[in-house]
């Protein structure tokens, strides 16, 4: 089969397509012929597969959780036990998540193949991970065509323009999310999008149940900055009562396990941490970035606690690490080796600032309930500058040592 | 910065000579003020939300640049080079005030929407750039042609960007609904199938990205434009 695709063969143009599938399935047979080289089976494709394996817990939990909230919306019963009707929930979750995954991979890989054929190089592997990250950071109710458009935008404008995988300055999956976030805000956040079909149901005049709302923990928290806090659809004006109502609704344990509404793959801190273990154990993800990202978030949380004043500022710092997409962002987004800082010191600065900015945006700007996406994109842009100054500082220090010696 | 005016007596050449025609056609493509010289970007971001605004902006710039180039070109031998910027500013400012008043008189609703941006034509880099780089050193005829070329080069980019931003951001063209109506209760067209306008198209960054895509297409068609690093 291969000769047909080789140079001069009948299907020469399609060689990039053929090569990518064959190397994905089999380890390439080509070996360097001379000189000293490190022979290692870990090429870019294996690295990417490792990340995908690390994402599996998030994906599985996301499917189950999406199914759970879908059932909640169907029965209108917020107190539905989380671990009941497992098979129904998995089925409902699959119905939501699978199409998202298919659309994301379908659109993204098609564009990658087209660019591969135009430029005459083999398919870039980068999209293997981005294609799975994109559905995991979408709300359950997002229309599929939007996911397609956003994926196309992210791959073309976010990546191919800069020269393809390894050259992009922004995280591709976050670019897709940012595009939707600014382009179609009503479909990306608010209280109607986290459960599939809830929006339709309400639009068709279905009764919204007492004390029931589709808002996420962050959506509720964003109202804490004002005089009238809202928890699960109920307005509370007494500041002391706000925190109790909040923790009754979303306890710290809920946020860690992740059985709360939110984007598909990000709700569970445990699943994210399992992924983090896989990434750190295989050496694929940077421990420095993850640790400093969490540290940055925690430090900012403590600073805000010290500032105090209203219920949101008083929210214990460790809560911030568990809710929303913070853990997911720290583990899978900030550590993207292409867009993160490269130097060891740079990685720590990058992670610290990223975590701090994420919590700062989240708490202080009521227009953006979650700040992780914007913080990481911002740090992506800043990463080369951080690296530059780290390297310069190193050169300066060594020059000084040279002169004194 | 200072342009040395060549004062050699050239034989009188017709207004539409080959060289002069090039002055018009060049800025349209290979020497476009926005996509190649990257001038006048500010207004390309600010007033390209709707095609109508972009059109009137282009007309205003055409008026100011054409008249201004001719006036500066006629005055070029009288302007002391030390205060030339001030003289140029006085000319642009007077012309812009005239344009502003004309717009307010004849198309008041457009004038209201463009508001401060007409006044900001004074600071449009293309205008000062052409005065400095061309009108100060050339006769009125070629200066006029140069002004035409640059304004049209400016205009088509503006209109192209505005076309996509208005179509995808509001679903309209010149205020006419193309994709249907998204008003709840009287939805029709694409919106009944779940289509939504892209709010990002309304925001300035998208104008930058569309200009970027135009630059991308332009450079992939003409490899000479790609500068090496």
């Amino acid at each position: 089969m291969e000769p047909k695709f080789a140079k001069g063969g009948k299907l020469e143009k399609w060689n990039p397509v053929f090569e990518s599938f064959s190397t994905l399935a089999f380890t390439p047979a080509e070996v360097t012929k001379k000189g000293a080289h490190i022979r290692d089976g870990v090429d870019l494709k294996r690295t990417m597969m490792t990340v995908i394996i690390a994402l599996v817990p998030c994906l599985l939990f996301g499917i189950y959780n999406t199914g759970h909230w879908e059932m909640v919306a169907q029965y209108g019963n917020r107190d539905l036990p989380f671990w009941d009707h497992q098979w129904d929930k998995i089925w409902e979750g699959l119905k939501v998540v699978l199409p998202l995954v298919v659309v994301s991979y379908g659109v993204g890989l098609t564009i990658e193949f087209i660019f591969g054929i135009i430029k005459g190089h083999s398919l870039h592997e980068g999209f293997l991970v981005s294609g799975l990250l994109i559905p995991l950071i979408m709300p359950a109710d997002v229309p599929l065509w939007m996911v397609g458009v956003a994926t196309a935008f992210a791959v073309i404008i976010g990546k191919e323009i800069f020269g393809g995988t390894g050259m992009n300055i922004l995280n591709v999956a976050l670019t897709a999310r940012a595009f939707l976030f600014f382009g179609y805000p009503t479909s990306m956040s608010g209280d109607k999008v986290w459960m599939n079909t809830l929006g339709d149901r309400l639009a068709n005049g279905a009764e919204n149940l007492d004390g029931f709302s589709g808002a996420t923990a962050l959506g509720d928290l964003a109202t804490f900055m004002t005089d009238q806090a809202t928890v699960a659809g109920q307005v509370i004006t007494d500041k002391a009562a706000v925190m109790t109502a909040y923790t009754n609704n979303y306890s710290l344990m809920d946020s860690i396990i992740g059985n709360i509404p939110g984007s598909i793959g990000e709700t569970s801190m445990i699943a994210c941490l399992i992924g983090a273990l896989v990434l750190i154990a295989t050496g694929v993800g940077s421990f420095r970035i993850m640790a400093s990202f969490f540290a940055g978030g925690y430090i900012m949380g403590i600073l805000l606690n010290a500032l105090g004043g209203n219920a949101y500022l008083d929210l214990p710092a460790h809560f911030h690490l568990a809710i929303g997409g913070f853990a997911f962002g720290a583990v899978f987004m900030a550590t993207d080796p292409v867009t993160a800082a490269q130097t060891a010191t740079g990685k720590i600065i990058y992670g610290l600032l990223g975590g701090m900015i994420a919590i700062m945006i989240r708490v202080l700007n009521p227009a953006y309930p979650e700040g992780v996406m914007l913080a990481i994109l911002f740090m992506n842009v800043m990463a080369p500058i951080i690296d530059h100054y780290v390297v310069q500082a190193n050169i300066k220090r060594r020059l000084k040592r040279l002169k004194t010696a | 910065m200072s342009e040395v005016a060549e004062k050699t007596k050239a034989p009188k050449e017709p207004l539409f000579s080959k060289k002069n025609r090039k002055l018009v056609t060049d800025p349209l493509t290979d020497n476009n003020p926005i996509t190649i010289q990257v001038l006048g970007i500010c207004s390309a971001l600010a007033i390209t939300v709707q095609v109508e605004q972009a059109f009137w902006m282009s007309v205003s710039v055409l008026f100011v640049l054409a008249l201004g180039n001719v006036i500066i070109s006629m005055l070029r031998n009288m302007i002391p080079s030390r205060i030339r910027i001030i003289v140029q500013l006085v000319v642009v400012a007077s012309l812009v005030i005239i344009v502003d008043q004309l717009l307010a008189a004849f198309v008041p609703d457009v004038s209201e929407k463009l508001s401060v941006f007409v006044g900001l034509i004074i600071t449009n880099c293309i205008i000062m750039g052409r005065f400095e780089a061309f009108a100060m050193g050339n006769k009125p005829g070629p200066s006029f042609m140069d002004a035409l070329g640059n304004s049209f080069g400016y205009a088509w980019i503006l209109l192209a960007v505005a076309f996509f931003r208005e179509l995808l951001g509001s679903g309209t063209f010149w205020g006419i609904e193309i994709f249907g109506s998204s008003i709840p209760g009287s939805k029709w067209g694409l919106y009944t199938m779940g289509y939504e306008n892209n709010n990002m198209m309304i925001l300035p960054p998208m104008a930058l990205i569309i200009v970027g895509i135009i630059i991308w297409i332009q450079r992939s068609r003409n490899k000479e434009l790609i500068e090496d690093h």
Side-chain angles (χ1 to χ4, degrees), chain A residues 195-216:
Chain A
M195 281 155 236
N196 196 28
T197 70
L198 178 67
D200 292 344
R201 232 166 276 224
L202 292 179
N204 290 335
E207 193 83 358
N208 204 358
L209 284 128
D210 287 343
F212 177 78
S213 122
T216 59

Side-chain angles (χ1 to χ4, degrees), chain A residues 174-230:
Chain A
L174 284 180
T175 312
R177 194 180 198 284
F179 178 79
L180 290 182
F181 183 78
F182 290 107
Y184 308 99
T186 49
S187 303
M188 282 307 279
S189 57
D191 55 1
K192 294 189 179 64
V193 300
W194 307 105
M195 281 155 236
N196 196 28
T197 70
L198 178 67
D200 292 344
R201 232 166 276 224
L202 292 179
N204 290 335
E207 193 83 358
N208 204 358
L209 284 128
D210 287 343
F212 177 78
S213 122
T216 59
L218 285 165
D220 280 353
L221 279 171
T223 65
F224 287 11
M225 291 299 274
T226 59
D227 290 337
Q228 291 196 320
T230 314

